[in-house]
Amino acid sequence: MYIVIEGQDGTGKSTQAELLKKYYEDQGKEVVMLEEPDGDLPQAHDLHDMILTRGYNFEPLSNVLLFTVARIELWKKIAEPVLKRNGIVISARNYWSTLAYQGYGEGVSRSKIIRLTKELLPEKYFNPDYGFILTVSDAVRLARQKNRGKATETFERKADEFQQKVNSAYPKIAKEFGLTIVDASGTIEEIFDLILAKL
Ligand code: TYD
C-alpha cells in the first residue's frame, strides 16, 4: 500500500505520517516513511540540503529536476522494494508538491511537470492507494511555523504572495486528482482520527 500525505509547510504532514507508520507497525506490518525530497538515503539528504538550505536560488526548472532526482532515488531504492514485499510506503509529499510549488508557485508549466514525471516514474507512483491533503488557514499555518522556528528553508522564506499561490493550488490539485481533503486545524489526535476514518 502506498499512502501520500500532502499539504503546505506547517500543516503537520510529517507528524501524521509518523503516527500512521507507528499504527501499521504496531500491527506487525513493514512500513517505510519518505519525506520527499528526503528519506533514508544519503543522496536524498544531500539533495534536500542542496535545494532547500544552501541559498543557491535555483531556477524553477532546475528545482523540478532536482526534486525529480530525489524522487527517482527514493522510489527505486526505498519504496519499490518495500511494496514488492507487500509492505506499506507512507510519503509526506510527492509530485503534487512539484505541481503546487514549482507549477502554481514558481510558474513552471503544469503539463511539463506531469510529462516529465510520467516519463520517469512508474504508474504506481501516480496512483497511491490513498492521497490526503492537509489544509489549515493561513493564520494557523503561520503560527505553527513560528513555533517550529524553522522559516529558514528556500520555499518557507518566500513572500506571502508565493505562499498564497501554493495554498490556493492545493484545493485545485485535490479536485483534479481525487485526493481527500483533511481539515488539519485540530489537535494532532483529532487530525489522525480523521485520516484513520478514511483508510
Ligand atoms: P522539508 O523541510 O523537507 O519538509 P516539509 O514538507 O515538512 O516542509 O521541506 C520541503 C520543502 O520543499 C517544502 O518547502 C516544499 C518544497 N518542495 C517543493 O517545492 N517541490 C517538491 O516537489 C517537493 C517534494 C517539496
Side-chain angles (χ1 to χ4, degrees):
M1 186 157 66
Y2 173 40
I3 302 172
V4 177
I5 304 181
E6 267 286 356
Q8 206 170 359
D9 299 301
T11 50
K13 298 173 299 300
S14 303
T15 306
Q16 296 300 324
E18 289 279 9
L19 283 176
L20 209 49
K21 178 170 186 279
K22 186 169 180 317
Y23 174 82
Y24 285 121
E25 279 173 348
D26 288 348
Q27 296 174 12
K29 305 212 164 101
E30 181 186 10
V31 190
V32 75
M33 181 176 154
L34 312 174
E35 290 178 274
E36 286 199 23
D38 212 342
D40 193 13
L41 272 185
Q43 59 269 52
H45 298 320
D46 281 357
L47 282 161
H48 171 278
D49 290 354
M50 189 162 80
I51 307 166
L52 295 163
T53 67
R54 305 266 171 79
Y56 285 133
N57 193 23
F58 282 115
E59 292 299 314
L61 204 48
S62 304
N63 282 328
V64 171
L65 294 173
L66 290 166
F67 281 115
T68 304
V69 174
R71 187 161 292 149
I72 292 169
E73 288 295 303
L74 291 168
W75 189 261
K76 289 276 168 202
K77 296 195 168 72
I78 296 192
E80 258 178 13
V82 171
L83 291 175
K84 276 202 185 110
R85 293 193 293 268
N86 283 326
I88 300 175
V89 176
I90 300 172
S91 185
R93 300 191 182 278
N94 84 344
Y95 84 110
W96 292 314
S97 286
T98 314
L99 284 177
Y101 287 76
Q102 281 65 53
Y104 288 92
E106 295 197 283
V108 177
S109 121
R110 184 188 161 285
S111 62
K112 199 176 266 179
I113 294 170
I114 294 178
R115 249 187 297 128
L116 176 86
T117 315
K118 289 220 157 143
E119 185 71 36
L120 299 173
L121 282 125
E123 189 71 20
K124 182 71 182 170
Y125 181 80
F126 294 90
N127 294 297
D129 298 278
Y130 296 95
F132 295 100
I133 291 196
L134 305 191
T135 57
V136 293
S137 67
D138 279 348
V140 171
R141 185 175 55 76
L142 291 172
R144 283 185 191 166
Q145 263 175 357
K146 213 168 166 190
N147 278 344
R148 284 199 298 178
K150 196 192 146 209
T152 55
E153 293 188 345
T154 304
F155 300 104
E156 290 177 334
R157 276 198 326 246
K158 283 192 187 280
D160 279 357
E161 194 199 339
F162 176 86
Q163 307 301 342
Q164 259 140 33
K165 280 188 197 160
V166 174
N167 216 7
S168 59
Y170 272 116
K172 295 179 206 157
I173 291 171
K175 199 164 169 209
E176 183 175 357
F177 297 96
L179 311 182
T180 303
I181 295 180
V182 174
D183 174 5
S185 48
T187 64
I188 289 173
E189 293 75 20
E190 283 165 350
I191 303 165
F192 189 57
D193 285 344
L194 289 175
I195 292 176
L196 275 191
K198 300 282 181 193
L199 286 170

